[in-house]
Amino acid sequence: MEHVKALAIKGLMTIVGLYLVLGLGFDVSFLTILAITVVLGAFSYVFGDLLLFPKTTNMVATTADVGLAIIIIAIVGSMMGSPDQSSWISAGVLAGIVLGAGEFFFHSYMAKKPELRASFNH
């Protein structure tokens, strides 16, 4: 149940951040924002929050999450919208920075919930 709560928090944080940057700033459709949220959430939760964060620092995990956000936004965005990679990379960098700020605080939440990481630390 703790994973569901953590994923809900992360999902809400991600979709709001992406909507603010991509929706309002780059006029990206909500469907594309939703697709990016789902793909990014799945990858970053498993790799960034459950595997990397417990073994490193908050800053290392946050930096990895920003890089992953840039890559996923560029790939998924160009698959669902305009194929102009340079626009998606620019949007990804800005969105990644915004999401990185949220991820920093999300990792603080994760640090208080050792039961979320227990099965991945073996």
Side-chain angles (χ1 to χ4, degrees):
M1 192 65 181
E2 286 296 321
H3 285 291
V4 173
K5 183 177 178 184
L7 280 167
I9 292 168
K10 185 176 186 79
L12 182 62
M13 175 190 70
T14 302
I15 202 162
V16 168
L18 289 177
Y19 178 76
L20 291 173
V21 175
L22 301 180
L24 298 179
F26 290 86
D27 200 30
V28 173
S29 74
F30 187 75
L31 181 62
T32 301
I33 291 169
L34 184 60
I36 293 169
T37 299
V38 170
V39 174
L40 180 58
F43 279 99
S44 70
Y45 186 70
V46 171
F47 295 112
D49 301 327
L50 297 179
L51 294 174
L52 185 62
F53 174 60
K55 293 175 173 56
T56 63
T57 66
N58 190 350
M59 190 55 69
V60 169
T62 299
T63 302
D65 283 333
V66 170
L68 187 61
I70 295 167
I71 292 166
I72 288 177
I73 289 167
I75 292 170
V76 176
S78 64
M79 289 171 54
M80 294 192 66
S82 164
D84 179 15
Q85 272 309 78
S86 63
S87 294
W88 283 109
I89 291 171
S90 299
V93 168
L94 185 55
I97 291 167
V98 169
L99 293 178
E103 286 290 341
F104 186 83
F105 293 105
F106 182 72
H107 294 153
S108 297
Y109 167 79
M110 292 287 292
K112 296 175 187 171
K113 302 287 183 181
E115 63 274 11
L116 290 173
R117 299 178 318 274
S119 60
F120 289 93
N121 284 335
H122 301 294

